Amino acid sequence: MSGPNPRAAAVAALVRQEQDGFSNLILDAELRRQKLEGREKAFASAIFYTVLEHQGTLDYILSQFLPKGLAKLDPQVREILRAALAQARYMQVPASAAVNEAVKLTRTFKKASASGLVNAVLRRAIGYDLGSAVFADEVERLMVLGSAGRDVAAFLHQHYPDEALDILTHTADGGLTSLRANPLKGTPEALCEKLLASGAKTAAPGLVPGSVLARFEGSPAESGLFRDGYFHVEGQASQLAALCVEAKPGDTVLDLCAAPGGKSLLLIEEMGDEGRLVSCDVSENRVQLIRKAVERMGFRNVEPRVSDGTKADAGLPMADAILVDAPCSGFGILAKKPDIRYKTLEKARHDELLATQSAILDTAAAHLKEGGRLVYSTCTIDPAENEEQVRAFVGRHPELRVVTPDVRFPAGMTVGDWGALSVPTRTGMDGFFLCAMQKRDS
């Protein structure tokens, strides 16, 4: 292969993704193997994630021109077709370039015998009018137009029938990168000025108090301001959940599911780096991510700790405030994690997830001081993991009651008796749920 080839890297990573899952790890490994940098690296990444995000649509269109179907093709040929169609339909790559480069890739991957098929199928697929498609039912329409597996499409059709397609095609935070200014280093407005001066294309305050939305040429992590701890990257809805903890200087605070550490950073910022924040996660390599984030930002009073929130841990202190950002199904962040779109929703796995959330909440209740604040949050829009989970928890723990935090919620949040919900199409943020609870003084 002559020189690094971003299209070949994307196709190779897609072939492995189909076999193994874990998209970000696979892509990173392939980019390193092919020694891609800068624009080529960004282009390969864009192809990879565009294919995953739109795979249902791409496969439907391609199958119109493949009498034997996509499944019968060699994996390399299947991914070459998906990647080329994604470039032409979603990435503003001219049709002729997408087709010609795809034909070349059949030789790169030693599949030259398929070059005629690739050429013929793509020339027709690129111009296909989705408006003419006829679907068996609404779930199939969501699967194709929203690029989702049957289970996720059926879930959204059941719970959000009028918004399902918009939820599947929504881009959170307006497609910008959501940041949090480090208040110990300056205001959000000052951060915006610094970002613009250092080459960010846009930077302005976001919907959530203290948040900033910016557009970068490359990765935000390449910014000197990032390295110097002026900000961390975190979705607006996620910031909102941590703000609702209302952590104060001098408090003892627990973050029970803290990796990679974004909400812990916000909590210690709110505490003015005074007091004690214990940031827990279940494994050493996840806790290492928290450590790195805290070191980069220069905070002293954070204690990263390996602790499984589902089990008792005598080493945890009694806390003034606790955040439980629980493991969840992730249906609020379909745009950020396209693999979730194709999840199969097995009842046994869902029950196990609900039991995990429930156990972590019980751990939190045991470590919360009287008068203390507990915030439960998820990045899903599944009522079973959200409102129903809180209702059951308060039923087990009558000493806790749901309260309204003293934090301004963006327009479109649905606030009910058992918490507040951000549906992407209503708030413009990620899909997210949060519920603040207070422990009664005896």
Side-chain angles (χ1 to χ4, degrees):
M1 208 184 296
S2 59
N5 182 336
R7 287 181 168 93
V11 167
L14 285 163
V15 169
R16 281 197 52 209
Q17 146 75 19
E18 204 175 329
Q19 295 160 349
D20 304 333
F22 302 112
S23 53
N24 54 338
L25 304 177
I26 280 170
L27 178 64
D28 290 347
E30 193 58 41
L31 294 174
R32 279 198 303 276
R33 199 177 72 76
Q34 300 252 9
K35 299 185 171 59
L36 293 183
E37 295 295 334
R39 293 181 71 141
E40 289 180 330
K41 182 177 175 181
F43 185 46
S45 301
I47 295 171
F48 181 85
Y49 283 114
T50 303
V51 169
L52 289 188
E53 193 174 333
H54 297 284
Q55 191 174 310
T57 315
L58 297 169
D59 286 5
Y60 178 85
I61 295 171
L62 289 167
S63 67
Q64 306 306 304
F65 308 103
L66 288 162
K68 293 179 182 169
L70 269 172
K72 291 276 196 289
L73 299 174
D74 287 338
Q76 291 84 353
V77 176
R78 186 164 51 243
E79 300 303 349
I80 287 168
L81 286 168
R82 284 171 174 161
L85 187 56
Q87 290 165 58
R89 286 191 79 107
Y90 299 109
M91 294 175 63
Q92 288 77 53
V93 172
S96 56
V99 175
N100 293 341
E101 292 298 330
V103 170
K104 281 186 200 165
L105 284 179
T106 60
R107 293 193 286 277
T108 303
F109 285 94
K110 300 187 170 44
K111 302 290 175 186
S113 60
S115 62
L117 171 109
V118 165
N119 184 27
V121 167
L122 284 174
R123 288 189 184 282
R124 296 170 71 194
I126 285 169
Y128 179 76
D129 175 17
L130 265 175
S132 66
V134 179
F135 304 114
D137 55 26
E138 184 59 20
V139 170
E140 190 192 21
R141 188 177 88 93
L142 291 173
M143 289 170 69
V144 172
L145 299 185
S147 281
R150 181 166 294 280
D151 287 7
V152 170
F155 167 85
L156 290 171
H157 179 54
Q158 179 189 345
H159 292 284
Y160 300 92
D162 300 332
E163 299 165 277
L165 185 56
D166 289 337
I167 289 169
L168 284 166
T169 54
H170 181 83
T171 305
D173 301 328
L176 301 168
T177 301
S178 174
L179 318 171
R180 182 90 194 159
N182 182 350
L184 305 187
K185 299 224 171 178
T187 63
E189 292 72 20
L191 176 63
C192 289
E193 285 178 25
K194 284 187 163 66
L195 287 167
L196 291 169
S198 70
K201 291 181 156 184
T202 60
L207 298 169
V208 171
S211 67
V212 167
L213 296 178
R215 191 183 298 284
F216 293 87
E217 185 72 62
S219 163
E222 289 162 5
S223 153
L225 292 167
F226 177 84
R227 286 194 294 273
D228 293 341
Y230 278 85
F231 68 87
H232 67 273
V233 177
E234 191 181 356
Q236 294 186 100
S238 177
Q239 294 183 35
L240 191 63
L243 283 177
C244 288
V245 174
E246 298 184 58
K248 299 183 295 299
D251 278 353
T252 297
V253 180
L254 290 180
D255 186 353
L256 284 182
C257 312
K263 293 184 192 64
S264 280
L265 295 178
L266 193 153
L267 292 170
I268 198 68
E269 287 163 5
E270 291 286 292
M271 294 161 68
D273 201 17
E274 292 175 25
R276 183 184 183 194
L277 172 62
V278 183
S279 295
C280 307
D281 219 291
V282 71
S283 65
E284 176 55 44
N285 57 353
R286 288 180 66 76
V287 169
Q288 197 56 37
L289 298 173
I290 304 168
R291 254 188 218 107
K292 274 189 187 155
V294 169
E295 282 166 16
R296 179 177 60 76
M297 300 289 278
F299 294 123
R300 296 184 313 278
N301 291 310
V302 184
E303 300 169 30
R305 178 182 178 86
V306 177
S307 182
D308 179 348
T310 64
K311 299 183 173 74
D313 180 349
L316 293 178
M318 293 299 289
D320 300 291
I322 301 177
L323 175 61
V324 172
D325 183 48
C328 71
S329 56
F331 294 148
I333 51 170
L334 295 169
K336 287 182 177 166
K337 296 196 174 173
D339 338 29
I340 294 172
R341 294 167 173 270
Y342 307 103
K343 258 188 178 179
T344 52
L345 308 183
E346 294 147 25
K347 185 177 185 310
R349 277 176 61 192
H350 193 243
D351 288 348
E352 194 179 313
L353 184 61
L354 293 172
T356 297
Q357 294 165 347
S358 173
I360 298 170
L361 278 168
D362 288 340
T363 297
H367 286 275
L368 190 63
K369 292 179 184 174
E370 287 184 359
R373 166 71 54 88
L374 167 60
V375 171
Y376 173 71
S377 65
T378 71
C379 55
T380 192
I381 53 176
D382 177 3
E385 299 172 62
N386 295 341
E387 296 88 349
E388 290 166 32
Q389 185 69 269
V390 170
R391 190 187 290 122
F393 172 64
V394 173
R396 294 194 304 278
H397 295 275
E399 71 278 14
L400 281 141
R401 63 188 174 89
V402 176
V403 294
T404 304
D406 190 19
V407 175
R408 191 179 81 241
F409 284 172
M413 291 280 288
T414 311
V415 183
D417 293 343
W418 304 104
L421 182 69
S422 163
V423 177
T425 45
R426 301 173 197 171
T427 62
M429 306 188 298
D430 286 323
F432 216 86
F433 172 80
L434 63 92
C435 182
M437 291 166 272
Q438 208 81 16
K439 194 171 189 176
R440 292 184 175 85
D441 293 315
S442 58

